[in-house]
Amino acid sequence: MIKKPAKLTLLFSLMAISYGHLNAQTAGPNAYKIAFEPANTRLMKIEADLTAASDIFEMSEYGADQFRGRWAEFVRDLRAYGANGTPLDVKDLGDAKWRIAVKPGEKVRLNYNVLLDHDKHKWAAGIDSVSFVRDWGVYASGRSYFITNGPRSGKASVTFDLPRGWNVTTPWPAEKGGRNSFTARDAADLTGSMIFAGTHKEFVIARDGFELVFAIGSEELFAEEERYRSLANGVMDYYIKLMGGVPNPPPSNPFSRSVVIVSPGEQTDGEVIGNNICIIVGSKNDPMSDLFARFIFAHEFFHLWNGKSIRPKTTEDEWFKEGFTNIYAMKALYRIGAISEAELFGVLDGLFYKRYSTDESYAKASMRDVAGGDEKHKHWGLIYGGGMFAGLCIDTEIRRASANERSLDDLMRSFYSRYSGSDRTYVTDDLKTAMSSLSKSDLNTFFGDHIYGAKPVPIDRCLNSVGLRAEIADGSLKVSRKPDASAAEERMIAGLLGK
Ligand SMILES: [Zn+2]
């Protein structure tokens, strides 16, 4: 018999201690088996073998508020069984919660079906936030079908039983040796997930331990695979170089793998759930819908840095999170040649300025004050557009003050190194201080007027100050190059736009 070296024994006992410690806080192991029947892919059949952490079982606390039973509106035939197969009493508490007659630590089996009819209803955030069923497969967000013990649920394995010819794309790491089996960290990792199961194509782009897993739905998009690959590679490289590293989330939300699900649909739309992205590409006959799809991808992808790695303390800084994400999405696409300069100027006017200047709170409320809860979606123009214009203005200040030696890029990089990988968050004054220092000026007035105050951002004046020709007339922002720009101005414009 080989004697274990003392150090190894110590390591094992330390592991046992920390495992025991973990067990005290969370319950596990948990195993979900999810089956789709070829004849009716709208019905998800779920069998969950759980170790109860409490007697309250629930679905995600986010969304589906338009239904009386919230997510439970789509759950059918929920039954529960004890260790020896005895049926357990299930009491529906409403609000997608149930009390099941089980004690913490006891085993319980849940059997239930989820009818994936979400796409037959209206959703404020679009069907990409819930589920949809197509000829080539099924998209489902974790919140639409997982029943867990909430935050106290432990690690879970998830195994899919799929119709012949199908595969499944998930954000979770694959379980060794298991076919279509994965391991999720906890309930948040389950409900914050998205999957695509079907005859789609999957490809992975990896950098420095971070993986972006693409699922491209329907054959009509297969021909675009190369285009998506090169778009994703180009945008990823630009973001990594800009920020100084791959997404680096806080210890409370670890991830090294994100899923991007791309499917054709009626209207171009996009959604981030957890650390994953769903994009619906609208009709191919509309060139704008293709441009929007690229823009939405670049925008949602940058949130893995600005939003998930660098995080605001409150919703008051959504203008920075959303507006600056727009700036870098635009710069990334322009940099890699995925949009032309004419398209960029066109989007600045037709999308951002239009929605900014027609926001019902334009010139009436501060972009910080309209970002809480549902208000955020009503004030897309003020937050996404206004925030973007505020950022572009500040970039022109920094570039002029430093002869184009410094820029907003330095701010992004310094915030990434200061906040990423930690649970620290920023507030508006942190932004003001860092931007003032980069522009070697006091940005008190700018922040007082346009960030804390309701005064419109003078985007035309800012763009003119670095040598562009910008004019606001008849509710439009017209931007063009001026023929007599100096070499110094040309350099500032190139930097501002991302070249
Ligand atoms: Zn966003």
Side-chain angles (χ1 to χ4, degrees):
M1 200 180 116
I2 301 164
K3 204 170 170 275
K4 268 187 207 152
K7 267 187 191 162
L8 208 58
T9 316
L10 179 66
L11 183 66
F12 281 137
S13 42
L14 279 175
M15 277 166 67
I17 290 166
S18 63
Y19 186 64
H21 173 70
L22 262 178
N23 255 355
Q25 291 182 325
T26 57
N30 301 306
Y32 291 84
K33 282 197 203 112
I34 297 169
F36 290 99
E37 280 174 5
N40 180 13
T41 52
R42 280 195 179 268
L43 198 68
M44 223 176 186
K45 296 188 143 190
I46 302 176
E47 181 173 278
D49 283 307
L50 311 176
T51 306
S54 81
D55 62 349
I56 303 295
F57 291 76
E58 62 189 54
M59 297 179 79
S60 171
E61 58 179 316
Y62 304 112
D65 296 321
Q66 71 268 46
F67 301 107
R68 214 165 45 90
R70 295 191 40 253
W71 297 112
E73 198 77 17
F74 300 90
V75 172
R76 302 284 182 276
D77 307 322
L78 172 61
R79 282 156 295 147
Y81 303 92
N84 48 9
T86 42
L88 299 173
D89 191 41
V90 178
K91 188 176 185 331
D92 189 345
L93 303 176
D95 204 29
K97 285 187 172 60
W98 298 266
R99 173 170 281 126
I100 296 178
V102 66
K103 291 194 177 62
E106 287 180 355
K107 302 276 182 210
V108 56
R109 168 170 289 184
L110 305 184
N111 280 110
Y112 63 101
N113 298 333
V114 177
L115 187 61
L116 297 175
D117 266 352
H118 304 85
D119 54 354
K120 295 179 177 170
H121 299 265
K122 280 248 174 294
W123 298 82
I127 56 165
D128 48 346
S129 65
V130 281
S131 84
F132 53 81
V133 178
R134 299 282 186 265
D135 294 342
W136 60 90
V138 170
Y139 163 79
S141 63
R143 59 178 78 171
S144 67
Y145 63 94
F146 277 112
I147 298 178
T148 72
N149 266 142
R152 297 180 63 200
S153 307
K155 207 158 97 174
S157 77
V158 184
T159 303
F160 292 89
D161 180 4
L162 301 171
R164 188 193 296 266
W166 275 32
N167 53 76
V168 64
T169 298
T170 82
W172 310 299
E175 240 161 49
K176 278 207 182 72
R179 190 173 145 68
N180 293 327
S181 289
F182 306 88
T183 309
R185 203 176 57 243
D186 52 24
D189 203 21
L190 292 172
T191 58
S193 68
M194 50 174 76
I195 60 147
F196 198 93
T199 56
H200 62 292
K201 260 193 180 177
E202 180 182 297
F203 66 87
V204 179
I205 290 175
R207 299 278 190 291
D208 303 332
F210 175 76
E211 284 185 347
L212 199 60
V213 186
F214 268 79
I216 300 188
S218 110
E219 260 169 57
E220 66 172 282
L221 285 185
F222 288 177
E224 316 271 326
E225 181 184 336
E226 265 323 300
R227 213 166 57 95
Y228 281 109
R229 259 183 206 275
S230 89
L231 174 73
N233 273 306
V235 171
M236 170 123 79
D237 287 337
Y238 174 72
Y239 289 160
I240 291 173
K241 189 152 183 275
L242 168 76
M243 303 301 276
V246 296
N248 184 16
S252 52
N253 174 31
F255 66 90
S256 57
R257 186 181 155 98
S258 293
V259 161
V260 182
I261 293 167
V262 186
S263 315
E266 276 169 32
Q267 217 181 347
T268 300
D269 200 358
E271 185 75 20
V272 165
I273 298 174
N275 311 307
N276 308 296
I277 301 167
C278 179
I279 295 169
I280 295 179
V281 186
S283 156
K284 291 188 97 180
N285 305 325
D286 175 9
M288 275 314 268
S289 81
D290 191 50
L291 192 147
F292 281 150
R294 274 173 280 169
F295 192 84
I296 287 169
F297 164 68
H299 175 104
E300 306 299 5
F301 189 23
F302 194 57
H303 274 321
L304 300 185
W305 286 267
N306 187 22
K308 301 286 179 184
S309 304
I310 303 173
R311 296 168 313 128
K313 185 167 189 190
T314 68
T315 56
E316 287 166 334
D317 287 310
E318 289 287 318
W319 65 277
F320 173 76
K321 194 180 110 188
E322 298 298 353
F324 284 50
T325 294
N326 276 341
I327 292 176
Y328 284 100
M330 181 188 81
K331 291 176 75 156
L333 294 177
Y334 181 62
R335 166 80 144 241
I336 65 167
I339 58 168
S340 66
E341 192 166 291
E343 283 174 323
L344 190 159
F345 290 153
V347 168
L348 272 187
D349 173 36
L351 179 59
F352 298 111
Y353 187 74
K354 283 268 154 49
R355 298 201 51 184
Y356 176 47
S357 60
T358 57
D359 191 294
E360 62 180 36
S361 289
Y362 176 78
K364 291 189 199 120
S366 138
M367 55 181 85
R368 286 175 84 253
D369 295 340
V370 295
D374 274 352
E375 285 286 283
K376 179 180 168 182
H377 296 290
K378 283 190 220 140
H379 295 287
W380 197 98
L382 207 56
I383 296 161
Y384 289 69
M388 180 183 201
F389 292 141
L392 288 173
C393 271
I394 291 162
D395 199 17
T396 63
E397 289 280 336
I398 301 173
R399 287 179 190 278
R400 283 190 296 118
S402 65
N404 204 39
E405 286 296 313
R406 283 188 308 276
S407 71
L408 217 52
D409 300 359
D410 296 294
L411 174 98
M412 301 310 294
R413 209 171 296 127
S414 73
F415 265 48
Y416 174 82
S417 78
R418 197 191 309 174
Y419 294 100
S420 76
S422 80
D423 281 313
R424 285 193 300 274
T425 53
Y426 64 85
V427 295
T428 315
D429 267 358
D430 296 322
L431 292 165
K432 188 175 78 178
T433 307
M435 290 168 181
S436 296
S437 142
L438 280 168
S439 68
K440 288 192 216 154
S441 62
D442 177 359
L443 290 177
N444 260 328
T445 312
F446 186 93
F447 269 74
D449 285 351
H450 311 299
I451 307 298
Y452 289 97
K455 278 192 194 162
V457 175
I459 184 63
D460 50 343
R461 213 180 65 210
C462 294
L463 296 178
N464 285 323
S465 77
V466 288
L468 281 165
R469 192 189 288 162
E471 169 186 26
I472 291 169
D474 307 324
S476 286
L477 170 69
K478 295 276 173 256
V479 186
S480 60
R481 294 267 185 173
K482 63 175 187 187
D484 55 344
S486 68
E489 287 176 330
E490 293 287 0
R491 279 197 299 277
M492 284 197 285
I493 294 167
L496 185 78
L497 304 181
K499 272 274 148 70

